[in-house]
């Protein structure tokens, strides 16, 4: 059994389930979510007359929570109802194989608790896999940059999964952006309620085969330096586009360039005063559709291709693409360099001038002077710095394959390890298109179909590999080519 030092078993306190549910719903960061979930789960177990041991299977955990909590609190009414309907979806129905005599079930290990990893966990739990575990190297959700949620995904989150039971403001009044950390919080709470296990401060350190078992054994290292093992036959890599983990399984990546442009992102403390609401630009603008606005910026020495401004509970987020000549003239870039990635390397960026430039643009789009840069903090040494960055956003990478199958012999015959990529680890999105969440979510749904088609008995997966791998590759090619929204829709025309 996996134990995590940050999540000790906690005896239920007095006050009933309502208090535990409310604390969990209101929890606002990773470790707090895990702690309050443990309290709630233990309180449910204490009320259960049929068992004195915590269930392990995800569906059994979900059943325990819902059975004892649905009438105790109104907080999650829509969520429970929607999830019950999801379990009945044809997409999640697995047929018993080989007469129901299953020798090795589906055990899922997910590396990374970003939006894609958490979405994958939800999907695998709905498939009623035997076990679903997520390992996350961080102990906090700190990504306040925004993610675009397109209309179809908005409807899925709110009307199919009850997301507003977790955060009332998501996707209201046609607001189609959400802070990444907020989306992580929502999805993590859903995944936990569906029986996924989440372990923070842990890093995946490789996997190896065992000739005596139909499973592989993953090595996971915690902080401080402790080690545990987890048996699995599906490894989902959701650790982002910069992760080297896919290389360990011989995935290759190719780079593509969508033009040449330099981006700047910055986050300020959010302001929701009436004056700020009147003066602040909301949404995005592109230069060729907003000539007057961008000419006014140019007269002030701020020549941009586009700019977007979004306010969330977490921050006031600004993203822009300045002209290269402007950044050189303003001293943000020390020298011109031909390679776009070399151009924005730390040795060529004047941080003070970068902050000054970002602050000037922020003022022009209505960020009050009283709003300061949010501070980022290092996990390693606790040092902090203003949340402003310059980057090349036109060079993107994509994996050649969405999945690979490792086949080996063991005492019982042939066994298979499915290794799959989802989210940015699979296909890095092009920011102006706003397709990050759409493609991440879609990649998880494709993987659900793959796991379902392999069958509920993993000892027979080798019989289906060729057909399933071919389908996944073809579906992935369609995913990469699909356009979810043109840039003009993302940036706006007003």
């Amino acid at each position: 059994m996996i134990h995590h030092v940050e999540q000790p078993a906690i005896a239920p306190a007095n006050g009933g389930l309502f208090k535990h549910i409310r604390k969990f719903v209101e929890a606002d960061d990773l470790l707090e979510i895990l702690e309050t979930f443990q309290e709630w789960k233990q309180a449910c177990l204490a009320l259960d007359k049929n068992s004195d041991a915590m269930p392990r299977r995800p569906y059994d955990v979900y059943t325990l929570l819902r059975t004892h909590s649905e009438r105790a609190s109104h907080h999650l009414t829509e969520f429970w109802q929607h999830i019950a309907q999801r379990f009945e979806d044809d997409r999640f129905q697995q047929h018993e194989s080989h007469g129901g005599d299953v020798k090795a079930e589906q055990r899922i290990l997910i590396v990374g608790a970003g939006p894609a990893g958490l979405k994958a966990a939800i999907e695998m739990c709905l498939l009623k896999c035997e076990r679903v575990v997520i390992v996350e190297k961080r102990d906090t959700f700190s990504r306040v940059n925004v993610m675009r949620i397109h209309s179809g995904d908005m409807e899925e989150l709110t009307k199919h999964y009850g997301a507003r039971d977790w955060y009332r403001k998501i996707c209201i009044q046609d607001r189609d952006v959400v802070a990444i950390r907020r989306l992580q919080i929502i999805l993590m709470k859903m995944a936990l309620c569906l029986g996924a296990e989440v372990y923070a401060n842990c890093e995946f350190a490789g996997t190896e085969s065992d000739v005596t078992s139909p499973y592989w054994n993953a090595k996971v290292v915690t902080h401080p330096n402790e080690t545990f093992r987890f048996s699995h036959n599906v490894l989902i890599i959701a650790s982002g586009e910069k992760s080297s983990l896919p290389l360990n399984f011989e995935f290759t990546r190719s780079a593509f360039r969508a033009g040449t442009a330099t981006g700047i992102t910055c986050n300020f403390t959010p302001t929701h005063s009436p004056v700020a609401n009147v003066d602040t630009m909301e949404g995005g603008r592109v230069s060729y559709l907003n000539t007057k606005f961008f000419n006014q910026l140019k007269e002030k020495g701020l020549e941009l291709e586009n700019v977007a401004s979004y306010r969330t509970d977490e921050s006031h987020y600004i993203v822009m693409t300045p002209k290269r000549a402007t950044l050189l003239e303003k001293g943000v870039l020390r020298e011109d360099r031909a390679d776009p990635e070399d151009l924005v390397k730390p040795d060529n960026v004047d941080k003070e001038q970068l902050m000054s430039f970002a602050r000037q643009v922020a003022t022009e789009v209505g960020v009050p002077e009283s709003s300061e840069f949010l501070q980022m903090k290092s996990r390693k040494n606790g040092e902090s710095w203003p949340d402003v960055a310059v980057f090349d956003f036109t060079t993107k990478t994509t994996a050649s394959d969405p999945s690979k199958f490792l086949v080996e012999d063991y005492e019982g015959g042939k066994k298979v390890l499915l290794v799959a990529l989802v989210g940015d680890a699979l296909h890095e999105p092009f920011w102006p298109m706003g397709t990050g969440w759409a493609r991440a979510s879609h990649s998880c749904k494709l993987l659900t179909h793959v796991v379902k088609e392999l069958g509920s008995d993993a000892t027979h997966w080798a019989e289906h590999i060729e057909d399933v791998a071919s389908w996944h590759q073809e579906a992935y090619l369609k995913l990469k080519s699909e356009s979810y929204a043109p840039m003009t829709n993302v940036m706006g025309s007003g």
Side-chain angles (χ1 to χ4, degrees), residues 69 73 75 142 187 192 197-198 201 242 274 293 300 322 371 412 485:
S69 302
S73 170
H75 283 298
S142 59
L187 296 175
L192 289 169
E197 302 168 54
V198 181
N201 277 324
K242 293 182 172 60
F293 174 76
K300 298 177 181 181
S371 293

Side-chain angles (χ1 to χ4, degrees), residues 400-416:
S400 56
D401 303 290
S403 57
K404 289 185 179 290
F405 296 87
L406 281 62
V407 183
E408 293 191 9
D409 294 317
Y410 81 107
E411 291 179 355
K414 296 284 187 182
K415 67 176 181 179
V416 177

Side-chain angles (χ1 to χ4, degrees), residues 37 39-40 69 88 91 166 256 262 264 288 315 323 340 350 373 384 396 468 476 490:
F37 182 71
E39 294 174 352
W40 175 28
S69 302
E88 299 300 320
R91 195 163 68 85
W166 305 108
F256 63 96
T262 301
I264 293 177
Y288 65 88
S315 76
K323 294 286 186 71
D350 187 313
F373 286 104
S384 61
K396 300 300 175 186
V468 171
Y476 173 46
V490 174

Side-chain angles (χ1 to χ4, degrees), residues 92-260:
F92 299 113
Q93 303 310 306
Q94 296 202 73
H95 302 290
E96 289 189 356
S97 57
H98 306 279
D101 182 19
V102 177
K103 297 178 181 178
E105 297 188 72
Q106 300 150 325
R107 296 183 183 177
I108 317 297
L109 176 61
I110 302 170
V111 181
L118 293 165
K119 172 64 173 176
I122 292 169
E123 295 269 318
M124 295 300 107
C125 288
L126 288 170
L127 276 178
K128 297 184 181 179
C129 294
E130 182 189 11
R131 198 173 179 195
V132 179
V133 171
I134 308 171
V135 294
E136 167 58 47
K137 66 180 181 180
R138 297 177 177 85
D139 60 7
T140 184
F141 290 145
S142 59
R143 298 162 65 190
V144 295
N145 288 3
V146 302
M147 179 174 277
R148 188 173 183 83
I149 309 294
H150 292 283
S151 57
D153 296 310
M154 282 188 204
E155 182 171 353
E156 180 181 70
L157 283 170
T158 57
K159 296 184 180 180
H160 294 179
Y161 287 88
R164 290 201 180 109
D165 274 1
W166 305 108
Y167 183 60
R168 292 293 179 188
K169 297 181 182 179
I170 190 170
C171 302
I172 60 171
Q173 299 177 346
D174 296 325
R175 284 186 59 84
D176 56 0
V177 296
V178 61
I180 294 175
R181 75 174 298 271
R182 183 58 54 188
L183 185 59
Q184 286 176 276
I185 289 170
I186 294 168
L187 296 175
M188 174 168 280
K189 291 176 180 178
M190 290 182 182
L192 289 169
C193 287
L194 286 168
E197 302 168 54
V198 181
Y199 299 95
N201 277 324
C202 297
E203 291 200 55
F204 175 80
T207 190
E208 58 187 20
S209 180
D210 178 355
V211 295
T212 66
S213 168
Y215 301 102
W216 267 253
N217 283 316
K219 179 182 178 182
V220 177
V221 180
T222 69
H223 301 284
N225 194 24
E226 299 178 3
T227 301
F228 60 82
R229 301 274 178 176
F230 172 66
S231 63
H232 61 109
N233 49 23
V234 177
L235 174 63
I236 301 175
I237 300 175
S239 47
E241 74 280 1
K242 293 182 172 60
S243 172
S244 61
L245 182 54
L247 299 176
N248 298 340
F249 299 93
E250 299 183 354
F251 284 94
T252 59
R253 298 186 75 83
S254 58
F256 63 96
R257 182 175 296 282
T260 302

Side-chain angles (χ1 to χ4, degrees), residues 299-317:
E299 291 173 0
K300 298 177 181 181
L302 306 171
E303 191 169 5
L304 310 178
E305 293 285 355
N306 54 58
V307 61
S309 166
Y310 299 103
R311 282 174 298 169
T312 68
D313 286 343
E314 282 74 20
S315 76
H316 194 146
Y317 172 69

Side-chain angles (χ1 to χ4, degrees), residues 266-279:
C266 47
N267 282 286
F268 295 87
T269 54
T271 301
H272 302 285
S273 68
V275 174
N277 290 342
V278 171
D279 297 336

